[in-house]
Amino acid sequence: MTMTWEESGWEGLAPRAGRCRLPGWDCTVGLVAGEGSALLIDAGSSLREGARLRTEARRLLGGARVTHLALTHPHFDHVFGAAAFAGVEVFGAVGLDGVLTHDREELRADAVRNGLDPGEAAEAADILVPPRHHVSGEWTLDLGGGLQVLLANVGPGHTAHDLAVLVPGSPEVVFCGDLVEESGEPQAGPDAVPSHWPAALDRLLDLGGEGALYVPGHGAVVDAAFVRAQRGTLARRFGVS
């Protein structure tokens, strides 16, 4: 990396991991820089936003490009920018490709309902990029320079296809997608699986442990105590243990 996270306007989480919070829906996008490879976690809500992220990532990476993209779940604010990253290796939880292929109209309509410009929503939906690599359990991704990132299918919960990303180090960093939210109450839409959501948070806690930084899909970085408290809140809300 040729510039610091702070110089770029991103939030540094570890020497080789950072994130930005996008305007509009306060959606988190993560970047993990290896040696010769780089992983982006989620891609923003539109092609315009994805192009902005591509430019910022290249500047952070000293002219290198993003080589891998992990999509944490199939909601427009996390996936509609993916087509801006042509040629990258795209990862998602098993079944995510089916949603992005067959439910494009619903994703477009949901984006418009939530305030995305109809033209931008239609453009992004038309060229949605489904994952090539389908994570059913855990997948170790070697980014070079001794950095191995773990992709884990921890759902269902917030959706039927929730993927988390563990970046090892001191501290360890866990990108949670919308399984964890800090800036508001976790959203349980029609595609949520409430009966399994607390168990998904248990898996997140097992992945990261007590000392990890947990990066929610929306909001400030939290600790294990916050995730555990949110797990309890969701269990009570949905009447599950």
Side-chain angles (χ1 to χ4, degrees):
M1 296 181 64
T2 59
M3 70 187 323
T4 68
W5 298 107
E6 288 68 25
E7 287 171 339
S8 70
W10 287 51
E11 177 184 358
L13 305 169
R16 293 196 279 183
R19 65 102 178 232
C20 69
R21 292 167 68 172
L22 298 172
W25 295 277
D26 189 27
C27 181
T28 281
V29 170
L31 180 65
V32 185
E35 190 172 297
S37 300
L39 169 69
L40 193 77
I41 301 158
D42 287 335
S45 63
S46 66
L47 291 173
R48 176 174 48 84
E49 205 160 58
R52 171 198 152 192
L53 290 166
R54 182 188 63 212
T55 299
E56 291 184 2
R58 179 161 288 193
R59 186 167 62 245
L60 267 165
L61 297 168
R65 68 182 186 90
V66 169
T67 54
H68 301 77
L69 172 63
L71 301 176
T72 62
H73 64 285
H75 286 166
F76 81 92
D77 50 333
H78 297 260
V79 304
F80 266 14
F85 295 88
V88 307
E89 298 293 326
V90 183
F91 294 76
V94 165
L96 180 71
D97 56 324
V99 177
L100 300 187
T101 300
H102 302 298
D103 296 344
R104 295 179 181 218
E105 175 55 28
E106 175 52 34
L107 288 169
R108 182 205 63 76
D110 184 57
V112 173
R113 282 195 299 270
N114 280 279
L116 185 63
D117 174 79
E120 288 193 281
E123 178 185 37
D126 282 346
I127 55 174
L128 266 174
V129 177
R132 177 183 174 188
H133 305 288
H134 310 132
V135 183
S136 60
E138 296 180 350
W139 188 309
T140 299
L141 188 61
D142 191 343
L143 295 180
L147 180 58
Q148 293 188 323
V149 173
L150 183 70
L151 310 182
N153 183 339
V154 298
H158 175 66
T159 72
H161 314 289
D162 292 312
L163 188 74
V165 179
L166 171 67
V167 184
S170 298
E172 293 191 318
V173 179
V174 182
F175 289 92
C176 306
D178 285 4
L179 284 167
V180 177
E181 296 194 43
E182 185 276 335
S183 55
E185 183 175 311
Q187 298 299 301
D191 57 345
V193 187
S195 61
H196 290 265
W197 200 332
L201 295 187
D202 289 337
R203 289 201 62 196
L204 285 180
L205 290 165
D206 287 342
L207 281 175
E210 286 301 307
L213 300 177
Y214 293 87
V215 186
H218 304 266
V221 175
V222 300
D223 59 12
F226 180 96
V227 177
R228 193 173 297 107
Q230 194 158 92
R231 184 234 188 263
T233 299
L234 288 169
R236 291 188 295 272
R237 175 180 168 188
F238 299 129
V240 296
S241 59

